[in-house]
Amino acid sequence: KLPTMKMLLSLIALLSATLLANAAPPTCYSRVLSLSKEITESFKELQTSKAVDSCVEMLPRLYLDIHNYCVLAKLRDFVAYPRCERVLEVSELKEKARSLYTIMISYCRRDLVFLTDDCNALESPILPPIEPS
């Protein structure tokens, strides 16, 4: 009976530690990083979707690097793009981009460090090599 009790206590301790780790609030940096990745992935999915409107092809490129100061201009341009208002996915993506911009310029302004201001890097990003499967 004693080994079962120890195992049960160990399991409870492990689950408690997991819950505490997941309950920790995200930092400004981690929130900006995760939202930028989410936006970039959503944009890629939107471009490859078969059900999208032809206006999606005309949208400004949306590759985001939060360490590049030019990302702020990139987000502004994307949100201000006048077409595709009737495409729900584009409207949702613009809303996420607007949120990211707001978080970066207000809430996280002091926490972010821009390592570059190379605007061309956001137009033609160097993608990591594809790993062989």
Side-chain angles (χ1 to χ4, degrees), residues 16-27 30:
S16 297
T18 303
L19 287 173
L20 284 174
N22 289 337
T27 62
S30 67

Side-chain angles (χ1 to χ4, degrees), residues 68 70 117-125:
N68 187 333
C70 292
D117 62 351
D118 181 4
C119 296
N120 287 331
L122 295 178
E123 293 305 317
S124 51

Side-chain angles (χ1 to χ4, degrees), residues 2-128:
L2 190 58
T4 305
M5 187 62 134
K6 280 186 177 181
M7 197 157 66
L8 182 59
L9 287 173
S10 296
L11 182 60
I12 290 172
L14 180 65
L15 289 174
S16 297
T18 303
L19 287 173
L20 284 174
N22 289 337
T27 62
C28 248
Y29 177 75
S30 67
R31 177 66 183 130
V32 167
L33 189 61
S34 68
L35 187 54
S36 68
K37 286 180 181 178
E38 182 181 328
I39 291 169
T40 300
E41 288 303 313
S42 294
F43 183 71
K44 285 179 190 175
E45 290 172 13
L46 185 63
Q47 285 185 311
T48 59
S49 172
K50 301 286 187 239
V52 296
D53 196 279
S54 61
C55 71
V56 172
E57 296 171 8
M58 305 304 288
L59 283 171
R61 251 182 105 117
L62 196 58
Y63 167 74
L64 304 178
D65 175 2
I66 62 164
H67 302 104
N68 187 333
Y69 185 74
C70 292
V71 75
L72 296 173
K74 175 66 82 176
L75 288 167
R76 279 194 310 268
D77 291 347
F78 186 79
V79 170
Y81 190 73
R83 297 189 183 141
C84 296
E85 290 90 15
R86 68 182 190 282
V87 180
L88 179 64
E89 294 87 351
V90 174
S91 296
E92 290 172 351
L93 195 55
K94 283 185 175 187
E95 192 55 42
K96 284 182 185 179
R98 184 179 291 112
S99 294
L100 178 60
Y101 181 80
T102 302
I103 291 168
M104 289 181 77
I105 65 166
S106 58
Y107 303 111
C108 298
R109 183 179 69 237
R110 293 182 196 106
D111 297 341
L112 298 177
V113 175
F114 296 107
L115 305 175
T116 182
D117 62 351
D118 181 4
C119 296
N120 287 331
L122 295 178
E123 293 305 317
S124 51
I126 299 171
L127 300 174

